Amino acid sequence: MTICATEDTMAPAGPLAGRLTIAADGSYAARLARHDDAAGSWFPERWTLSGPEPYAVPLQGTQPEEPDSALLPLTDGRVLILRRVADRFAVSLLYPAGPGTGELLLGAVATPRLTLLPPAPGGTLAYALAPEADHTTLWRVHGGANGPERVTRIPGRCTGGAWLDRGGRLLALDRELDGRTKTVVVDLERGGETALLLQITEESNDRLLLADPDSGLLLLRSDAPGHDRLGWGVLGSSLPVRFPECLRPTGGTLTPFAVQPGQMLAPESCAVAFRMTAASGTWLGVWRPSERQLRQYPAPEGWLPGTGLWTADGELLLPYATEAEPCGVARMGVPGVPGVPGEVVEPVGAVLPVQPVGAVEPVRPMGPMGPVRQVEPLRTAGQVEPTWAGAGRPTGPMGPHPSAGPEQRPAQPPVEPLEPLDAVEAVEGPPSGEAAESGGGIVPDAGDADNRSTASAQSSATDAEPQHIPGHPQMCRPVPLQEAPLAARQTRWSVISGPVRISGGGCAAG
């Protein structure tokens, strides 16, 4: 799941009432809801999304809330609230306490403006921006030792906010400086150091709308093509930013709000959910870079616009509120998303199993023989040491057979011991065992406890070869993944190790 702060959700002007904010792990959400009384006062409401069915818990205090109060749910179930009090902002934590609501005051920040950033990865910290005339102060409003703490001061006016990693270290902000807007990255583990992250051209205004830490996919808005366009790029890639024509609707606007998680190093496979707004209403759009088309779907009744998340299975969850159901979540299976019903998945071709060695005729004895020396049994690859019954494995010369009776046979000259046979190569034959029953395929290794990886089709190797048997030929070394040929439709992306600047490599319209 990726949660981003879009331009309209971070706008300091206008009320924030009714907007639902989802926690970093998707377990809780919070919004300002309205009473049914004549005054229509506002109160905080926490949604629980991790259970079998969603439900809401009111967190109302002794007095109604102002419509511009901001809420941020934490992963422990508490809700941070930011209230304007005269010339400062008070920061408190709300939580259910029996039939009422408990409140813990964290402190206050003396600033004319303070906007909450999207939930930080981990769900225990909270940050806010305090923009001023020529600089912006980044505050840690929850998670510090003594209430709100100032992290750093950034030259210019900063808005937006997107997290670039799962550790909560790299924060991307849109900074307006000297009449141009560029995206910068703030390193929170190095005292708030800032560096340029996104710059298509020196004269363009480039803003980051959404970032997915797993795949490195970046959704941005830039006027580099001549006017504001939606584009996409990859963090850590040298490829230019692209501006697809399908993300350029006529008579409406597109705002990304969620991206499919878990697509490691596969940005072209990530499904992105958009809120589409026009004079006719609001509906949904789903897009993937590899498809180069925008799928449009009607929004569920009562959908809280711009709110939703993807699951690891590829389902899109859309919270909604109606009179009949004030707390609900609609599950939407989008065709074309991996793991969602409706997509045709090509099966893996059958792998021929390794066939057993055919039967070997025994060596016929050459007449009566005297005592012979015990010969080590022939072992092949994958064969374990046999278990002998009784007192143990027989050793020493073999005595006469009990059926021989008292009759004495003349002594025979000693016979030279038989030389062991060379290893016999496997002969191909019809499938047998589990492979035959299942119609072919790779049989998972029973020793693999978690069974999350495909078992090897080769038989298990023995500890060592018998000393008197020639060594088996060496098996071919398997080709590593990074050396295997890629499919024509796949693209190789570099591993993300930190903030990488997307240089002025130009833009493409594809």
Side-chain angles (χ1 to χ4, degrees):
M1 177 189 66
T2 298
I3 300 174
C4 65
T6 56
E7 293 177 356
D8 56 345
T9 58
M10 290 301 300
L16 301 177
R19 297 176 183 172
L20 188 71
T21 303
I22 304 177
D25 61 350
S27 57
Y28 296 97
R31 69 164 186 158
L32 284 179
R34 237 176 162 164
H35 285 291
D36 296 334
D37 54 8
S41 56
W42 300 93
F43 66 95
E45 185 179 68
R46 189 196 70 180
W47 289 28
T48 300
L49 306 177
S50 57
E53 293 184 1
Y55 63 92
V57 175
L59 297 177
Q60 53 192 2
T62 57
Q63 59 183 8
E65 302 291 343
E66 296 295 330
D68 60 351
S69 298
L71 300 177
L72 184 70
L74 304 178
T75 55
D76 59 5
R78 296 180 296 178
V79 176
L80 184 141
I81 184 169
L82 198 65
R83 302 186 181 101
R84 183 190 295 272
V85 181
D87 59 345
R88 61 190 59 208
F89 286 84
V91 185
S92 301
L93 288 177
L94 305 178
Y95 54 91
T101 302
E103 181 171 347
L104 176 63
L105 180 63
L106 299 179
V109 179
T111 180
R113 279 185 169 181
L114 190 65
T115 56
L116 287 175
L117 287 173
T124 58
L125 303 178
Y127 294 87
L129 292 177
E132 298 184 16
D134 56 350
H135 69 275
T136 301
T137 304
L138 176 63
W139 288 85
R140 183 184 295 111
V141 294
H142 178 259
N146 300 309
E149 299 175 349
R150 189 175 69 179
V151 178
T152 185
R153 294 182 63 180
I154 306 171
R157 183 181 178 86
C158 296
T159 56
W163 297 96
L164 303 179
D165 64 331
R166 294 296 183 189
R169 172 181 177 178
L170 304 176
L171 173 65
L173 299 172
D174 298 331
R175 180 179 67 177
E176 182 182 356
L177 184 65
D178 298 331
R180 298 295 178 187
T181 301
K182 306 291 181 182
T183 302
V184 297
V185 59
V186 182
D187 192 338
L188 301 180
E189 290 188 1
R190 303 188 64 176
E193 292 184 3
T194 60
L196 186 62
L197 175 70
L198 179 60
Q199 176 177 281
I200 300 178
T201 67
E202 294 183 358
E203 302 298 326
S204 61
N205 294 291
D206 312 313
R207 297 177 176 86
L208 182 63
L209 303 181
L210 181 147
D212 178 52
D214 294 336
S215 63
L217 179 65
L218 303 178
L219 269 293
L220 55 98
R221 185 184 300 274
S222 175
D223 59 1
H227 51 277
D228 274 347
R229 293 278 301 273
L230 281 175
W232 70 279
V234 180
L235 189 67
S237 173
S238 60
L239 297 178
V241 174
R242 294 183 176 272
F243 296 89
E245 287 295 329
C246 63
L247 299 184
R248 186 184 178 185
T250 58
T253 59
L254 284 176
T255 305
F257 63 88
V259 64
Q260 183 184 3
Q263 305 299 306
M264 299 300 295
L265 302 180
E268 290 190 347
S269 301
C270 289
V272 183
F274 290 85
R275 182 188 69 182
M276 305 185 67
T277 306
S280 57
T282 301
W283 63 98
L284 287 170
V286 177
W287 167 82
R288 287 197 301 172
S290 60
E291 291 183 352
R292 299 186 178 182
Q293 62 177 339
L294 180 65
R295 303 172 182 262
Q296 302 184 27
Y297 304 93
E301 181 184 358
W303 176 48
L304 303 176
T307 305
L309 58 92
W310 291 94
T311 65
D313 298 331
E315 279 189 320
L316 181 59
L317 307 184
L318 302 173
Y320 66 90
T322 62
E323 293 184 1
E325 192 171 1
C327 177
V329 175
R331 293 181 174 269
M332 182 178 178
V334 180
V337 176
V340 177
E343 182 190 20
V344 178
V345 180
E346 297 181 359
V348 179
V351 179
L352 293 178
V354 178
Q355 302 301 326
V357 179
V360 180
E361 295 183 0
V363 179
R364 296 180 180 179
M366 300 175 60
M369 296 188 304
V372 296
R373 186 176 56 191
Q374 179 67 23
V375 180
E376 291 290 333
L378 177 64
R379 291 190 296 172
T380 59
Q383 184 176 2
V384 297
E385 185 73 14
T387 303
W388 299 89
R393 180 176 176 176
T395 57
M398 298 175 59
H401 197 274
S403 62
E407 181 181 356
Q408 299 293 331
R409 295 181 181 271
Q412 299 291 336
V415 180
E416 293 295 330
L418 298 177
E419 294 294 333
L421 297 177
D422 292 336
V424 182
E425 296 183 358
V427 181
E428 294 186 0
S432 60
E434 296 183 23
E437 297 177 1
S438 61
I442 297 177
V443 180
D445 188 1
D448 194 359
D450 57 3
N451 201 21
R452 289 178 295 180
S453 60
T454 304
S456 173
Q458 302 293 337
S459 57
S460 302
T462 57
D463 295 337
E465 292 285 351
Q467 296 180 359
H468 56 278
I469 299 179
H472 289 284
Q474 295 292 333
M475 300 298 295
C476 296
R477 181 178 64 88
V479 180
L481 276 179
Q482 60 266 27
E483 298 178 9
L486 298 177
R489 59 181 294 182
Q490 292 180 339
T491 306
R492 187 190 302 270
W493 305 103
S494 59
V495 179
I496 304 167
S497 59
V500 180
R501 170 181 174 184
I502 298 182
S503 59
C507 58

